[in-house]
Amino acid sequence: AAGEIREWLRGALARMSPRVAQMFILRFFEGKENPEIARELDTTPGTVAVTLSRARDRLEKEFRSYMEGVA
């Protein structure tokens, strides 16, 4: 099951814009804080926060749909 979820997440990240996916990976896989991500990507911490919030919301909805499809 963990492998299937990992595959789903890879696909979901691939469907995001490259910049959003990069922010998500930097935050949730590399553990960087929003100000650090903002400096790295030449944007503001607020933009990073809003972008990540929207990305999490989108992933949550997609994941619920995915789980309904496999249940």
Side-chain angles (χ1 to χ4, degrees):
E4 290 175 14
I5 293 172
R6 219 175 356 263
E7 275 302 308
W8 173 85
L9 183 57
R10 271 194 204 106
L13 288 171
R15 289 187 294 277
M16 291 180 174
S17 77
R19 187 165 176 88
V20 173
Q22 184 178 20
M23 284 184 191
F24 191 89
I25 290 165
L26 288 170
R27 180 71 179 100
F28 297 105
F29 291 98
E30 296 186 16
K32 294 186 178 186
E33 296 296 327
N34 291 359
E36 187 178 4
I37 295 167
R39 281 190 304 276
E40 195 168 317
L41 299 180
D42 195 29
T43 189
T44 66
T47 297
V48 173
V50 169
T51 301
L52 290 174
S53 177
R54 290 178 180 162
R56 283 190 312 267
D57 289 347
R58 176 180 165 185
L59 286 172
E60 184 181 340
K61 288 176 189 170
E62 286 187 27
F63 188 68
R64 271 194 250 119
S65 293
Y66 169 76
M67 290 307 291
E68 289 172 3
V70 296

